[in-house]
Amino acid sequence: MSKNKSILILLMISIICISPIYGASSDWTMFQQDASHEGFLEEASDFVTNLWSFNMGSSIYSTPVIHGDNIYVVSNDGILKSIDMEDGSQDWSYNLGTKVTASPVIANNTLFVGGQDGSMYAYDIQNKNLKWQYDTSKPIESTASVNNGTVYFGSNNGHVYGLNSEDGSNVYDVSVGGKIISSPTVVNQTIYVGSTNNEILALDINSKNQTWSYTTGDEVRSSPAVSNGTVFIGSSDGTLYALNQTDGSVNWKYDSSDKILSSPTVDEYNNNVYIGSDSGNVSCLDTRDGTFKWAYSTGDKVRSTPALYDGGLVIGSNDGNAYILNKFTGECNFSFNPGYFFFNNPISASPVIYGDSLFISGHDGYLYSLNNQKNEAPASVFLYYAIVIIIVFIAVIYLLIRFLKNIKNKNKIKSKSHTQKVSGDEEEKEIIDKENQEKL
C-alpha cells in the first residue's frame, strides 16, 4: 500500500513539474510565434483581455511578444515596456538608449532585441536588469531567433551571429554579404535567412558552411517560414519563392506584381501560405504547388506579416487598418482603423494573437487590445480628435453659409435701395415736367 502511495505521489509531482512547460508553450515569445515562423498558436488559451489602448510615446515598428500575463513592446525610440495584458496597465519600463525596429524574443525569462546602435541586448525581465549586450558595429534590424540556448540574428554588416543566451559570448559568426534584415529561421541545425545581396541562404550550424544559396532578382528582406520540407520566402523582386529545404531548388514561385517585404505565414493543416505585398494585396496560395486561391486588396502596401487563429487571419496595412479575414475565402470579417481616416498611420508590425485577444501596434505609437472573436475594438484617442475635426468642419461650413447669406441679403437691400432711388428720381422728374407744362 505504501509503495502505491509513493508511486502516486511521484506521479503527482511529475505532473506538477511538467505542467509549467505546457503553459509556456501557449506564449507568443517571438516574431511569428515560433522558430519556424508559422504565425500560429496551436495551444492558445481562452483568455480574453479587456479592450484597451496604450501609448508608447513613439512609433512602433516591432512586433510585441507575450510571456506569462504580460505583453512586451519596444518603441522606435528604444523604450521597452512590460504591460499587463488584461487591463493595459504598465508594469515596468526600461530605456535601451537606442532606436529599435527589430522585434524582441523571449527565452528563459530573458528578452533579446537588437538596436540601431549595432548592439544585441539581453534584458532579464524577472530581475529587471540588463544581463549583457554584444556589439556588431552596424545596425541590427533582424529579429533574433533562439534555438537550443543560442540567439541567432543578422546584422547590417552582413554577418549572421549566434550568441550564448546566458553570457552573450560569440559561438557562431558567418559573413554572407549584404545586409541581414531578414529574421533567421532555425530548423534541424540549419539557419535559413535572406540577404540584401539578393540571396536566400541555408547555413549549417555545426560546420558553419553554406549548404546552399538561391539568387533572386532583388533584395531579400522577408523572413523565411519553413514547413514540410519547403522554405517559403519573399523578395523585393515581387516573387514568393517555395524552395526545397534540402538543396534550395525551386518547387514553385508566385509573382505578386510588387515588392514583398512581408513574411509568409504557413497554415500546415489547410496547405495554405499567406503573404502580403506592396501591391496592397494579401494573397493565399496552395503550399504544394503555388495554386492561387484568393487575394484581398487593402488600400496601401502590406508589409505586416499575417497571424492565424481558428478560421481567421489578421494582418496590418499601410492604409492604417488592421484586417481580420476569413482564411479560407479572404472575405473581410472586421477591420479596425484607429486613426479614423483623419490620422491614418501604417501598421507594419505583425499582429499577436492570444486566445480570444488580438494585439495590434502601429506607427501611431499605440498598442491596442481587441477581441478577435466578437470583433470588438477599443475607442482610439484619435476618435476624439476626429470628432473635433468634424465639429470644426461643420462649424466652418455653417459660418460660411451664414456669411454667404449675409452677403446675399446685403446685395438684396442694396439692389432694393437702388431701385427705390431710381423710382424716386423718375417720379420727381415727372412732377417737375408736369409743373413746367402747367406754367406754359
Side-chain angles (χ1 to χ4, degrees), residues 278-319:
D278 279 10
S279 67
N281 288 337
V282 184
S283 301
C284 173
L285 310 164
D286 193 301
T287 56
R288 295 164 293 189
D289 56 13
T291 299
F292 175 84
K293 293 189 175 182
W294 57 258
Y296 180 84
S297 180
T298 73
D300 207 334
K301 299 171 183 177
V302 178
R303 295 183 171 179
S304 169
T305 295
L308 302 178
Y309 72 94
D310 298 334
L313 174 151
V314 187
I315 195 164
S317 170
N318 280 14
D319 68 3

Side-chain angles (χ1 to χ4, degrees), residues 8-41:
L8 182 61
I9 291 170
L10 286 172
L11 181 62
M12 291 177 67
I13 291 172
S14 299
I15 292 171
I16 292 170
C17 292
I18 291 171
S19 59
I21 297 174
Y22 288 111
S25 69
S26 66
D27 290 344
W28 192 295
T29 56
M30 65 177 68
F31 170 73
Q32 286 304 88
Q33 202 278 318
D34 60 16
S36 60
H37 293 176
E38 292 186 6
F40 177 73
L41 195 60

Side-chain angles (χ1 to χ4, degrees), residues 6 30 126 410:
S6 299
M30 65 177 68
Q126 194 170 36
K410 286 180 179 179

